[in-house]
Structure formats: structure tokens, C-alpha cells
Amino acid sequence: MKPLLRLVVVLLALLAGAAAAALAAPAAYIVTLKQDSGAVHAARARAAGNPLSATDLESYRADLRGIQDELLAALTAAGVHYTLATAPAPDFNGG
């Protein structure tokens, strides 16, 4: 094989390998629900003069968990592998 042709073939093979590796690499996505977090929901209620009771806030958070669980079930049913990471949101009193 001529040296220039060999170089082109090697470069194309490397390019194809790099493209395949990029397609196979896992992608990272951050998914945020449309609904406000519990902290934001509570703050808005408080700002409107209707503070939530602890029971109301827990009920709202349970609803959010249900929505999240539906999303995760849909992902699983579609064969999408995921890792779930959450972070606590402190209330506005620093707690």
C-alpha cells in the first residue's frame, strides 16, 4: 500500500474509533422537575401570608417524590440507566 494511502486509512480508522468511543461514553444530564422544591413552595406560601404547616409541607414533598418516582419508572421502562443524586435544601432559617 502506498504510504499516503496507508496514512489516510490509519487516520480514518482513528477517527472512526474516536467517534465510536464518543458515542459509547455515558452522558450526564441534570433533570429538574417543573414543580417547586419544598423549600421554595414553603417560602412562597409564607410570603403570600399563608405559611405551610409541617404536615402540609411533608404532604407536598411526598407528592414530589411520587412525581419523581413516576419519572424514574418511565426511564427504567425505556431502558435508560440512571444514577439518582439529591441534595437537601435548607429552609430559610438556616435549618
Side-chain angles (χ1 to χ4, degrees):
M1 188 180 290
K2 294 183 179 183
L4 181 57
L5 182 57
R6 183 179 305 156
L7 178 62
V8 170
V9 169
V10 169
L11 288 175
L12 286 175
L14 288 172
L15 182 60
L23 291 174
Y29 299 94
I30 297 173
V31 178
T32 306
L33 298 177
K34 288 189 312 186
Q35 296 77 4
D36 288 334
S37 68
V40 171
H41 182 66
R44 287 188 175 167
R46 187 172 32 247
N50 301 313
L52 298 178
S53 69
T55 302
D56 290 339
L57 182 55
E58 270 311 304
S59 176
Y60 182 80
R61 287 179 172 158
D63 290 344
L64 288 179
R65 280 188 293 277
I67 293 166
Q68 176 180 289
D69 290 345
E70 288 176 18
L71 171 65
L72 297 178
L75 289 174
T76 300
V80 176
H81 301 284
Y82 60 86
T83 300
L84 179 64
T86 61
D91 63 26
F92 294 97
N93 298 320

